Amino acid sequence: MDKTRHIFVLLAFLLIGSAFIPSVSAEEASPGPAAKFFTDMPLSVMEMISRSKRMDMLDYYEADSIYHAPNGMEGFSYLEKVTPTYLKLSLTSVSTMSVAVLPLKNDTIFQCIYTLGSDTQAHDSEIKFYDKNYKDLNTKIYIALPGLKSFVDASSKKKKGDIAMIEQAIPFPTITYSFDPETSILTARLTSEELIGKEGYNKVSGFLKTEICYIWNGKRYELQKSLK
């Protein structure tokens, strides 16, 4: 066999062999259940980004690159962090979403946190829970959501005058939630300073805690004892 024919046969063998190597999609190569939950979200949960774009985002992320995917708001979305049990993305220039996998005794649920805010709008969050079939679960089963009084310090809670003053200063409290996948701690932060301004907030800030923390106990979130 001459040298040219040998090279041709070798190249043909490599090309034919490559046809039998299975391609790996973003879904197959996903780093864990958080990414799969994000990829398979129905339109009722994630209508802003198409499924194919979500798969592209994961493909690029796994290749150590960031893909800014066009979204339904005529902007772009991109992944900020992906681990097997946690995912966070920038939805728009003023909103984010995170997915966390929370273990139960014989099952898992998925927590989604949507946060909206900007320099001109106070940051505020919504927290939702879903089962693996994307059924919207009752939030109250998994956490007692905090209100303004949850951030009032213990001494002021005993004084009706303090409570009235705080409620008058902050009639519509705004709260953000952030989840730490390393510790399973959920932090609720009062963002009302962004809403009423620094001068107004300073009048009542001495009576308030800026944040409170919850820990996932395998069934639901419980307020950390040191902060009760």
Side-chain angles (χ1 to χ4, degrees):
M1 181 182 295
D2 59 52
K3 184 176 181 181
T4 302
R5 181 176 173 77
H6 177 76
I7 293 173
F8 176 80
V9 172
L10 179 62
L11 288 173
F13 175 78
L14 291 173
L15 288 171
I16 293 171
S18 66
F20 294 95
I21 299 174
S23 60
V24 180
S25 67
E27 185 174 5
E28 292 168 336
S30 67
K36 180 170 175 51
F37 184 86
F38 169 69
T39 300
D40 294 341
M41 280 180 168
L43 291 178
S44 60
V45 181
M46 172 56 71
E47 62 179 355
M48 191 178 296
I49 312 168
S50 68
R51 186 176 188 276
S52 63
K53 289 289 188 288
R54 286 176 247 159
M55 292 175 70
D56 289 341
M57 294 165 76
L58 285 165
D59 274 336
Y60 275 87
Y61 191 92
E62 289 162 14
D64 294 324
S65 183
I66 300 298
Y67 172 51
H68 289 72
N71 60 45
M73 298 295 290
E74 298 184 352
F76 297 92
S77 305
Y78 62 91
L79 292 169
E80 295 183 16
K81 183 175 183 177
V82 181
T83 73
T85 58
Y86 181 77
L87 178 149
K88 184 178 180 181
L89 79 151
S90 172
L91 271 176
T92 70
S93 60
V94 295
S95 62
T96 62
M97 187 195 80
S98 68
V99 175
V101 182
L102 301 177
L104 296 175
K105 184 177 181 180
N106 298 312
D107 201 357
T108 56
I109 60 171
F110 297 85
Q111 167 189 279
C112 290
I113 298 174
Y114 302 87
T115 300
L116 178 68
S118 67
D119 292 339
T120 57
Q121 179 181 358
H123 287 75
D124 201 18
S125 292
E126 179 185 25
I127 184 168
K128 304 191 76 172
F129 299 91
Y130 299 90
D131 67 12
K132 60 185 178 182
N133 296 314
Y134 299 93
K135 179 184 177 182
D136 195 348
L137 303 174
N138 186 348
T139 301
K140 293 180 181 179
I141 295 175
Y142 303 104
I143 185 172
L145 291 175
L148 180 60
K149 289 183 180 179
S150 304
F151 294 90
V152 177
D153 64 37
S155 59
S156 295
K157 283 183 178 179
K158 299 176 182 179
K159 302 175 183 178
K160 292 184 178 180
D162 289 348
I163 294 292
M165 178 184 63
I166 295 167
E167 290 178 334
Q168 184 176 8
I170 308 176
F172 305 105
T174 50
I175 299 168
T176 60
Y177 300 98
S178 59
F179 181 77
D180 184 346
E182 300 296 326
T183 61
S184 297
I185 290 176
L186 179 75
T187 300
R189 184 173 182 83
L190 187 65
T191 60
S192 295
E193 181 179 347
E194 302 173 14
L195 183 68
I196 66 175
K198 188 170 184 177
E199 183 177 347
Y201 187 77
N202 283 343
K203 295 178 181 179
V204 294
S205 61
F207 303 96
L208 298 170
K209 297 171 283 192
T210 57
E211 62 183 38
I212 55 179
C213 295
Y214 300 81
I215 185 74
W216 182 256
N217 66 10
K219 295 181 179 178
R220 69 191 320 271
Y221 280 111
E222 60 181 16
L223 191 64
Q224 282 194 317
K225 293 181 179 181
S226 59
L227 296 176
K228 284 185 177 180

